[in-house]
Amino acid sequence: MTIRIIGTGSCLPENIVTNDDLAKIMDTSDEWISSRTGIRARHLAKEETTAQMSAKAAKQALEEADMKAEDLDLIIVGTLSGDYVTPSTACEVQSLIGADHAVAFDVNAACSGFMFAMNTAYAYIHSGIYKNALIIGAETLSKLMDWNDRSTCVLFGDGAGAAVVTADDTGLMKFTQGSDGSKGMVLACKNRLNNNPLVQNPTEPDYVYMDGQEVYKFAVSTVPASIKKVLEEAGLEVSDIKYFLLHQANIRIIQSVAKRLKADPDKFPTTLEHCGNISAGSVPILLDEVNKKGMLQRGDKIVLAGFGAGLTWSASVMEW
Ligand code: UT7
């Protein structure tokens, strides 16, 4: 018994900010951002919250799956930018969509969050505990960015992607996942200020910090290795795969992975041009775009891969 994706959905905030828009408020340019990353614009939330975007994406996924919210047993949201410390975004989503019978919780695995959510849903469903799950990757990263740090803030965007998975004989074939906490500080965001009266707070709050080159090196070695691992375990070749849906951090990372796998770069669809990096939201939003464009047929084999803060990474191969 495995899990199969039977519906997808996504939601991006209305407000679009281009590279030229950013160049008006900081020392950057469309040329620098697009040539180094491939990113041309991103959606940044003004009104939308992580839970609201998640719920919209979830409703689309349920509709495609032809499933009612009350039939869900499990909701897992991968996010590092929920609206509250508690309740979890997953519990908010449960309430917003009326999934009264589901158990709901978040996982924080940064840009691997959707993948870790899917792997967790697999574990519950494979073991027979649950049958139907809603998995989501969603972020409102704009509220956590240091808007004085041009090397990082220009890269990220907001949005949510969702998938409904159900118990089936075919679907997810193999997955791998990993973490390396010893390198956690290369991409970090401290918690909110400490309200303990015994503790003196720093004068400035901390926002997202990234050592871009370290993360780059980690990504271009770990992602191809984890994809090769799942393909080998599944007894598949690179040529058997229709699409590789990678975390959308940087077009140069995606091109490097394609080269290392000796795969056709056309098999790597992207959203980063118009979305930027949406951390846990990247993979499910890309999956939804590919699905909505009718690019997937039943039986196609696809690879999903995420990597990011933690450090964390995951790759999976599935039959659509
Ligand atoms: O989901 C998390 C995953 N994150 C990632 O995958 C990020 C991986 N890393 C990267 O994608 C790249 O390292 C970046 C795109 C973040 C940076 O590219 P880089 O080629 O490593 O640039 P750099 O940080 O070495 O900066 C080069 C220059 C510097 O100027 P100097 O010191 O050479 O004069 C920066 O100050 O570019 C400057 N710079 C900028 N210039 C214009 C940095 N940010 C900007 C900017 N606009 N936004």
Side-chain angles (χ1 to χ4, degrees):
M1 183 61 62
T2 186
I3 56 171
R4 196 160 70 80
I5 295 178
I6 55 170
T8 65
S10 62
C11 174
L12 295 168
E14 257 181 46
N15 183 42
I16 297 171
V17 177
T18 65
N19 293 346
D20 286 333
D21 293 332
L22 288 181
K24 289 180 195 145
I25 56 166
M26 66 185 73
D27 182 15
T28 190
S29 64
D30 176 50
E31 202 283 325
W32 192 96
I33 301 170
S34 54
S35 65
R36 300 246 172 180
T37 70
I39 298 164
R40 295 190 171 275
R42 71 287 294 142
H43 295 246
L44 299 183
K46 281 185 176 172
E47 307 290 334
E48 300 91 342
T49 68
T50 305
Q52 286 166 357
M53 292 189 289
S54 299
K56 279 191 182 167
K59 283 178 186 168
Q60 292 170 18
L62 283 165
E63 197 177 320
E64 191 195 352
D66 198 17
M67 189 183 287
K68 293 191 183 71
E70 51 268 36
D71 294 331
L72 288 170
D73 306 306
L74 177 66
I75 301 173
I76 310 177
V77 179
T79 187
L80 59 86
S81 53
D83 309 316
Y84 299 93
V85 172
T86 193
S88 66
T89 303
C91 281
E92 282 192 272
V93 171
Q94 176 191 25
S95 167
L96 287 167
I97 66 173
D100 299 342
H101 303 121
V103 64
F105 58 88
D106 291 353
V107 294
N108 179 346
C111 307
S112 314
F114 177 79
M115 304 291 300
F116 277 37
M118 184 164 65
N119 302 340
T120 307
Y122 168 84
Y124 277 111
I125 292 172
H126 177 69
S127 61
I129 296 173
Y130 297 130
K131 186 166 181 282
N132 301 320
L134 171 66
I135 49 175
I136 295 174
E139 306 286 3
T140 315
L141 295 169
S142 51
K143 65 189 178 192
L144 300 178
M145 284 299 130
D146 179 351
W147 290 96
N148 293 313
D149 177 5
R150 64 177 182 170
S151 66
T152 301
C153 68
V154 301
L155 308 173
F156 293 91
D158 301 333
V164 170
V165 298
T166 192
D168 206 329
D169 295 333
T170 58
L172 183 60
M173 298 169 78
K174 292 287 171 191
F175 71 86
T176 181
Q177 56 185 2
S179 314
D180 181 1
S182 71
K183 300 211 179 71
M185 287 308 125
V186 302
L187 177 45
C189 180
K190 268 200 185 166
N191 215 334
R192 60 189 58 203
L193 294 178
N194 191 332
N195 206 30
N196 177 344
L198 303 174
V199 174
Q200 200 172 0
N201 275 304
T203 48
E204 295 285 332
D206 279 298
Y207 296 107
V208 169
Y209 162 80
M210 180 170 73
D211 180 338
Q213 288 179 3
E214 280 302 313
V215 179
Y216 194 98
K217 280 189 262 171
F218 153 71
V220 296
S221 59
T222 308
V223 177
S226 50
I227 292 175
K228 279 181 189 164
K229 184 169 188 273
V230 287
L231 290 182
E232 198 179 308
E233 285 176 7
L236 294 171
E237 303 291 332
V238 166
S239 55
D240 295 320
I241 302 303
K242 186 156 184 195
Y243 294 116
F244 295 84
L245 306 181
L246 267 50
H247 172 48
Q248 301 288 294
N250 186 322
I251 192 68
R252 291 188 293 141
I253 293 176
I254 294 170
Q255 287 164 347
S256 167
V257 173
K259 199 169 163 195
R260 285 175 193 229
L261 292 174
K262 298 189 177 67
D264 178 356
D266 289 346
K267 287 184 170 187
F268 292 70
T270 57
T271 54
L272 53 73
E273 304 81 7
H274 69 101
C275 287
N277 176 346
I278 311 181
S279 191
S282 280
V283 170
I285 291 169
L286 173 62
L287 177 66
D288 184 52
E289 279 203 13
V290 167
N291 184 25
K292 283 204 174 110
K293 284 181 186 159
M295 292 162 66
L296 295 171
Q297 311 299 326
R298 189 86 198 260
D300 285 345
K301 306 221 172 31
I302 59 171
V303 161
L304 270 50
F307 62 91
L311 298 173
T312 58
W313 62 91
S314 178
S316 60
V317 57
M318 65 179 67
E319 190 175 312
W320 190 250

